[in-house]
Amino acid sequence: MTPPQRQRRHLKEQPPPPLPKPGNEKKNPERLFVVAGPDGGERDADLDLVTLIVARADPPPSATPEQSALLRLCTAPLSVAELSAYLNLPFSMMTVLLTDMLTGGLVTARAPIVRQAVADRSILEAVMHGLQRL
């Protein structure tokens, strides 16, 4: 028995995409050095993807749009990876923004809560005795 033969598809010529209308032009995103500021990247904080960020204050009037968005998102603890995904900014950019905000006292950073790999023996025994009583 011979395996089925696949036929190669040939692309048909497609017309070029239509030009955008003058009112529907997409806005060019800001360059990362504009978001980071003139001294962005000179300071370094010990932040990794799982570091939890919590806002300590409301956005000041002088805050950039990215900083204001970070402060609004961080009312509950969020990891740097989650913030990076929500704001659609790379991790390196997030570290620059968060370092500036940490030095300004707008946010706090803390290590993630690590749960124990193995449950305490006394808890397991209490659960076992409770189930046996049922």
Side-chain angles (χ1 to χ4, degrees), residues 126-134:
V127 169
M128 182 179 71
H129 293 303
L131 290 173
Q132 287 174 347
R133 288 184 202 148
L134 291 176

Side-chain angles (χ1 to χ4, degrees), residues 25-93:
E25 296 174 353
K26 288 186 177 180
K27 186 177 178 183
N28 289 335
E30 294 292 336
R31 300 278 185 200
L32 294 181
F33 65 85
V34 174
V35 176
D39 59 347
E42 291 182 9
R43 297 177 299 273
D44 188 27
D46 293 330
L47 298 173
D48 56 356
L49 290 172
V50 294
T51 302
L52 296 176
I53 306 296
V54 182
R56 295 180 64 190
D58 291 332
S62 61
T64 64
E66 291 81 12
Q67 290 175 340
S68 297
L70 275 171
L71 289 173
R72 284 192 302 272
L73 285 171
C74 291
T75 54
L78 287 175
S79 69
V80 177
E82 290 173 312
L83 291 170
S84 177
Y86 287 142
L87 296 179
N88 200 19
L89 291 173
F91 173 72
S92 59
M93 188 66 235

